[in-house]
Amino acid sequence: MARRRQSVTIKHVAADAGVSLQTVSRVINNEPNVRPEMKKRVQDSIDKLGYVPSIAAQRMSGSRSYLILAINDRERTIADWQARLGTDWVDQMLLGGMLASGERGYRMLVELVDTHNDHVERELSAAIAALQPDGVILTPPHSENTLITGLLAKRNIPFARIGSKATGPGIAMTMGDEHLAAIATDHLIELGHQRIGFIAGPDDYSLADWRIDGWRGAMARAGFDANGLCERGDFGFESGLAAARALLDLSDPPTAIIASSDQMAVATLEVARADGLSVPDDLSLISFDNTPIVRFTEPPMTALDQPIAATTAKAVELLIDGEPRTGDEEPIVIEGSLVVRGSTGRVPQRAVN
């Protein structure tokens, strides 16, 4: 029977490099005041021995836990997973957050919390007590839940608020929702559309209203009337069906629709086909999510690509490397882009005549 290989410890590294345990610890933790030649000597020993620092060892070496905790909405996340619809918000969040954390010797974990739960503070307190994170990333709608932000501020835990412009504790960050809605609208206007409908998200998400503002602003700049052309959904498929039906049943229906989620966009496509409308010949369609769902529809959908991974990576970077913030700074904006595919085209000739 083969003997189990003895694991390499910090003591082996210190002995090989001929330095103290404290010096090795400072190099591993990327602390200042370590001479470059000493840092290289320790790193050479780490590489030669194949030493991998453990989180437990790092946590014992100081006050840091080397963990970043991302909080996502439980109900919506589980519903998406169970439906297996191909949404990739969490995937992109993990991609950006884990890579940025790993580059800095940290780990990122995701916790699902129900923001509407009366016990949200107790639920979050339990996660914090168990993990003792060095920083927390909040996603909508948690990023604007004052019970959550107040608890983190009271405990002096640095946190980033993705999807929030409000002043106050934490790092406010957005993905340029107003700008994205405007460039989608401008794209359709350039194609000759004047009646452009908008399916917004629920009003408990501030970003839903920012997107409406972007759409309305672009319509106003072009001199077009947006009244009666906005419906709300809850980002889900069923709500998209109802919203699309309301818009397409208008006496003067839109020739193009922007939907604030992939599921609502797919629902709009289904309603259009049920009405005998061809996309994009009769109706142009843009999704606010560039997920696998909209890339494999027929036709593939023009979509607004939100920089979820880049935003999460930036949040990690600011929480670990950033300077202390007062909470009064302007929100950090990481803007996405429009990906043009086959679901948008020139305005139908019937609408021009």
Side-chain angles (χ1 to χ4, degrees), residues 285-291 294 301-305 337-341 343:
L285 180 59
I286 296 179
S287 171
F288 225 101
D289 293 323
N290 187 30
T291 67
V294 300
M301 283 192 208
T302 296
L304 292 159
D305 192 281
S337 59
L338 179 70
V339 181
V340 179
R341 298 194 182 94
S343 68

Side-chain angles (χ1 to χ4, degrees), residues 138 143-144 159-175 210 311 314-315 318-319 325-334:
L138 302 176
S143 45
E144 295 195 318
F159 61 98
R161 298 180 277 118
I162 296 176
S164 175
K165 295 182 182 178
T167 57
I171 304 167
M173 306 182 72
T174 81
M175 289 184 278
W210 304 338
T311 303
K314 184 64 175 180
L318 291 169
L319 289 171
R325 298 170 65 88
T326 65
D328 296 324
E329 297 87 352
E330 287 294 312
I332 293 168
V333 181
I334 301 178

Side-chain angles (χ1 to χ4, degrees), residues 189-309:
I189 291 171
E190 289 170 3
L191 292 171
H193 296 274
Q194 298 181 19
R195 297 279 293 171
I196 301 172
F198 196 87
I199 302 179
D203 55 13
D204 58 341
Y205 284 71
S206 290
L207 58 82
D209 290 332
W210 304 338
R211 295 174 182 181
I212 293 174
D213 292 341
W215 161 73
R216 284 192 183 279
M219 292 286 279
R221 285 190 294 274
F224 301 146
D225 185 8
N227 289 333
L229 289 174
C230 182
E231 295 288 335
R232 282 193 186 268
D234 61 6
F235 295 128
F237 183 82
E238 294 299 327
S239 71
L241 291 175
R245 172 52 59 207
L247 288 173
L248 293 177
D249 279 350
L250 292 172
S251 57
D252 186 10
T255 60
I257 293 176
I258 303 168
S260 285
S261 75
D262 52 5
Q263 293 184 43
M264 294 196 298
V266 172
T268 304
L269 182 61
E270 183 167 309
V271 173
R273 285 181 173 160
D275 285 357
L277 300 176
S278 172
V279 174
D281 295 336
D282 300 312
L283 178 74
S284 285
L285 180 59
I286 296 179
S287 171
F288 225 101
D289 293 323
N290 187 30
T291 67
I293 293 178
V294 300
R295 296 202 291 274
F296 295 108
T297 56
E298 180 54 45
M301 283 192 208
T302 296
L304 292 159
D305 192 281
Q306 299 181 82
I308 301 165

